[in-house]
């Protein structure tokens, strides 16, 4: 895996885990009655928090594993199992309306104050663990190991992927109104289930990679690394 592959894979994984499109109905309910400026301000605070939190684990996650004496192969398998459970939940269950918050209509002129109040309210349970759950943290730590093996370019690619995923979440939440009207309830359900399927596939890949690292020769190289450099 090269730096570009790592960056793309991490972005796709984080986008599926953060699931900004699937979480639009929840964000819309949590900011009911807000103006476009107020909703955008809340989006900025949430996405800055996401970027900072993920970057923290990207740079310290491997040290934490060493501190607790956990091998990266074991963490790959455990993280893969967790991602698989989350993906199955996304494909089978409907968790898009669990965090609806029906507040009174906000003062349209109070942008900063409203954003701060909503952000404090949404850190838990919306930002964590719904957006940044154990699956996202597991993915960050696992990919941090890949980045370390690649070197400086891998670190840059990882940070860029975190920034891109956070920016994509910001843009998505800022466009909550139009996207909700275009997709509708059926469209939202389809998006969530497709992302859940992608997440399940990524989870299986993590498990296979972890088993392949723990037991060399257990799988063919094309199974644990299906897209080698220069492959198609």
């Amino acid at each position: 895996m090269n730096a570009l592959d790592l960056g793309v894979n991490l972005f796709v994984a984080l986008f599926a885990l953060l699931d900004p499109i699937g979480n639009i109905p929840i964000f819309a309910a949590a900011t009911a009655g807000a103006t476009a400026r107020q909703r955008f301000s809340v989006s900025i605070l949430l996405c800055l928090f996401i970027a900072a939190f993920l970057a923290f684990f990207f740079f310290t996650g491997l040290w934490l594993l060493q501190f607790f004496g956990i091998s990266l192969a074991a963490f790959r398998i455990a993280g893969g199992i967790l991602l698989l459970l989350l993906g199955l939940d996304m494909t089978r269950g409907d968790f898009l309306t669990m965090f609806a918050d029906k507040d009174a209509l906000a003062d349209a002129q109070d942008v900063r104050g409203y954003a701060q109040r909503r952000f404090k309210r949404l850190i838990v349970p919306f930002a964590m663990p719904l957006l940044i759950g154990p699956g996202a943290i597991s993915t960050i730590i696992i990919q941090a190991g890949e980045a370390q093996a690649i070197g400086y370019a891998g670190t840059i690619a990882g940070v860029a992927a975190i920034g891109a995923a956070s920016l994509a979440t910001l843009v998505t939440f800022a466009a909550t109104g139009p996207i909700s009207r275009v997709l509708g309830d059926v469209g939202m359900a389809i998006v969530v289930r497709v992302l859940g399927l992608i997440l399940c596939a990524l989870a299986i890949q993590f498990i296979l990679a972890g088993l392949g690292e723990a037991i060399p020769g257990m799988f063919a190289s094309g199974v644990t690394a299906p897209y080698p450099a220069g492959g198609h």
Side-chain angles (χ1 to χ4, degrees):
M1 177 182 291
N2 57 36
L4 179 60
D5 291 336
L6 183 143
V8 172
N9 290 344
L10 181 55
F11 171 78
V12 171
L14 289 178
F15 187 80
L17 286 162
L18 295 174
D19 189 18
I21 296 177
N23 284 305
I24 281 179
I26 299 176
F27 182 72
T31 55
T35 65
R37 288 183 60 198
Q38 289 172 329
R39 182 170 285 163
F40 184 69
S41 296
V42 177
S43 302
I44 291 177
L45 292 178
L46 282 173
C47 294
L48 286 175
F49 174 80
I50 290 171
F53 197 85
L54 293 179
F56 170 79
F57 277 96
F58 184 76
F59 287 106
T60 65
L62 291 176
W63 176 85
L64 291 175
L65 288 184
Q66 294 173 358
F67 179 80
F68 288 106
I70 302 173
S71 70
L72 187 56
F75 201 85
R76 285 180 190 272
I77 297 171
I81 293 173
L82 183 58
L83 291 178
L84 180 61
L85 293 175
L86 291 174
L88 290 173
D89 185 57
M90 290 173 65
T91 58
R92 295 185 301 184
D94 179 12
F95 55 90
L96 298 180
T97 58
M98 291 190 301
F99 301 102
D101 194 348
K102 299 179 181 179
D103 284 343
L105 294 178
D107 180 4
Q109 303 302 319
D110 181 21
V111 177
R112 179 176 298 179
Y114 174 85
Q116 292 175 346
R117 291 192 302 271
R118 284 284 80 204
F119 173 68
K120 292 178 181 178
R121 173 64 180 82
L122 292 175
I123 290 179
V124 177
F126 186 64
M128 294 188 307
L130 186 57
L131 289 175
I132 307 176
I137 296 174
S138 300
T139 300
I140 282 292
I141 295 178
I142 291 171
Q143 296 295 68
E146 299 286 354
Q148 188 178 71
I150 295 173
Y152 186 67
T155 300
I156 294 177
V159 172
I162 292 172
S166 302
L167 181 60
T169 301
L170 169 62
V171 172
T172 302
F173 284 164
T176 293
I179 292 178
S180 298
R181 289 192 294 269
V182 170
L183 292 180
D185 293 338
V186 175
M188 292 293 184
I190 293 174
V191 168
V192 170
R193 280 156 179 77
V194 170
L195 290 176
L197 179 61
I198 294 174
L199 189 57
C200 287
L202 289 171
I204 296 298
Q205 197 65 53
F206 280 144
I207 294 173
L208 291 175
L211 290 173
E213 184 177 339
I215 311 175
M218 183 177 183
F219 301 105
S221 60
V223 174
T224 56
Y227 301 110
H232 297 283

